[in-house]
Amino acid sequence: CHGNPVFRGTRIMVSQVLEQIANGMVWEAIIQEWHGSITKEAIAEAVRLAGQAFIEHADEYTAEPTVA
């Protein structure tokens, strides 16, 4: 979907669901909003992968800016 990661077999962007989680939406409500097109296991995998990506790139977010 426009080059963005989606849940397998859907056009639901992972970033949309992660944003819903960040906004405090409970997983059951997210699943319901997407009419059952995604599962709790799929959401858990998305959260796990997002956490892994953050850990792998954390230095990019915390690095002190350098002046040339």
Side-chain angles (χ1 to χ4, degrees), residues 1 4-14 16-17 34-39 42:
C1 191
N4 294 310
V6 296
F7 289 91
R8 184 174 289 143
T10 74
R11 293 183 58 95
I12 302 168
M13 289 187 280
V14 172
Q16 292 174 298
V17 173
W34 295 107
H35 308 289
S37 295
I38 57 175
T39 64

Side-chain angles (χ1 to χ4, degrees), residues 11-13 15 31 36 39 43-44 46 52 58 62 64 68:
R11 293 183 58 95
I12 302 168
M13 289 187 280
S15 61
I31 293 166
T39 64
I43 295 172
Q52 182 180 345
T62 59
E64 293 291 325

Side-chain angles (χ1 to χ4, degrees), residues 21-37:
I21 293 168
N23 289 331
M25 197 169 187
V26 296
W27 292 15
E28 290 80 8
I30 295 169
I31 293 166
Q32 199 170 43
E33 181 167 316
W34 295 107
H35 308 289
S37 295

Side-chain angles (χ1 to χ4, degrees), residues 33-59:
E33 181 167 316
W34 295 107
H35 308 289
S37 295
I38 57 175
T39 64
K40 201 179 265 192
E41 293 78 19
I43 295 172
E45 180 70 0
V47 169
R48 186 187 71 73
L49 290 172
Q52 182 180 345
F54 178 77
I55 290 168
E56 291 174 5
H57 298 278
D59 59 330

